[in-house]
Amino acid sequence: MATGVIGRIWERRAAVAGLAVLMLLSGCGKTPKGQVLAIVNGEDVTVQQLEAELLDMRIPDSVDRRKLSRTILEGVIDRELEVQEARRQGLDDTPQFRALLKRNEEELLTGMLGHKVAQSVPLPAEEDIRNYIDANPLQFARRQRLTFDQLSFVPPKDRRRLAVLAGAHSLDAADAALRSIGIVPVRGEVAIDTGQTEPDVARQIDRAPPGEPILLPQGERLAVGVITAREPIALPPDTARIAAARALRGGDLLRESQAQIAAARAKAEIQYEPGWGPDKSAGK
C-alpha cells in the first residue's frame, strides 16, 4: 500500500518539476522552522497541512512513518506549486472557481456544525436502549434473514396505476398484472436482513399473510416479493445493545439537526426569483 502511495506522489513530483524551476526565484527569503515544514515561493507548508493529508490514511505498522511523512510533504509541495500556477493563470478569478469554493466551504462548515451538534447531544440512557430493543423485535430478538422470490421493476410516474396489484395473490398473478400496464419486471431471488431494514418496512413484511405478494421499496425501483425461506439471526446481547444505542443516537442527532435548521429558517429572510420558491402543492 505504502509503495503505491509513494509511487503516485513521485509521479506527480516529476510532472511539476519544470514548474518548480520556473517559480524558484519568487521566494521571500523566509526560513522554515517550528510549525512551518517548508516554504514554497514564499507560501508556508505547515505541520497542520501534513497532518490533514495523513488523517484518513491507513498506514501499516511496518511502514516508516517519518519516511512516508517526508514523501507526503513533497506531494503537498507539488500541489502548492500547481496552485500557484493556477493562480498565475487566473483560474482563481472565475465564476466556476468561486462557486466551487463556496460549496466546499459550506460543506466544511456544515460538517463542523454536525460535529458540534454530536458533542451536545447526550448518549442514550440504558432504559431507552432497553425500550428500543423491546419495541423493535425484528431488529433484535426476532431478527431474520428472509429469502424472497421477487419481481423488480421501475415504477410508473403515476403510482396509482399499481392498483392493479391489489387483486394479485401470487407472484405469477402480480407478473401478469404488471405486464397488463406495460411494465416488464425482472424476476429473481433476493435476501433481506430484517435487522438492516427500516423498522416500518420490516413490520410490513412481518404482517403479510404467508405466500401473499408484498410490495417493497428497492432504491429507485420497486419489487413485489413472496417469502420463500426464513432463517433466524442470533444477536449477542452486547451487540444488540450497541446497535440500539447507535440507532437511538442517530435519530437524536437527526432531530436536533432538523430542529436547528427549522429554527434558522423561521428567523431567516429568504427571497426567491419568481418560479423558484417552494412548490406549495407538493405533498397535497
Side-chain angles (χ1 to χ4, degrees), residues 102-123:
K102 186 174 188 297
R103 186 187 69 179
N104 290 338
E105 181 183 55
E106 289 171 348
E107 289 179 348
L108 176 61
L109 286 171
T110 54
M112 294 177 68
L113 179 62
H115 180 69
K116 185 176 181 181
V117 169
Q119 291 178 318
S120 66
V121 174
L123 295 173

Side-chain angles (χ1 to χ4, degrees), residues 185-238:
V186 177
R187 190 160 184 166
E189 189 175 86
V190 67
I192 293 178
D193 181 343
T194 62
Q196 297 176 355
T197 305
E198 287 292 330
D200 289 343
V201 176
R203 284 189 285 271
Q204 174 194 346
I205 294 171
D206 193 53
R207 288 194 296 264
E212 191 74 11
I214 309 165
L215 187 63
L216 300 170
Q218 199 174 67
E220 296 181 355
R221 300 172 68 88
L222 287 177
V224 178
V226 173
I227 300 173
T228 58
R230 295 175 181 264
E231 178 186 352
I233 299 176
L235 205 62
D238 287 346

Side-chain angles (χ1 to χ4, degrees), residues 29-39 44-48:
K30 295 190 294 184
T31 302
K33 62 180 179 179
Q35 296 294 300
V36 178
L37 301 177
I39 300 174
D44 293 348
V45 177
T46 65
V47 171
Q48 289 77 17

Side-chain angles (χ1 to χ4, degrees), residues 138-167:
L138 292 169
Q139 277 68 48
F140 300 101
R142 293 181 52 227
R143 184 171 176 175
Q144 305 169 61
R145 181 177 290 102
L146 305 176
T147 302
F148 283 84
D149 185 10
Q150 71 166 26
L151 303 169
S152 176
F153 60 94
V154 177
K157 291 182 179 179
D158 184 357
R159 298 290 183 98
R160 290 174 298 183
R161 298 180 65 202
L162 295 178
V164 296
L165 292 170

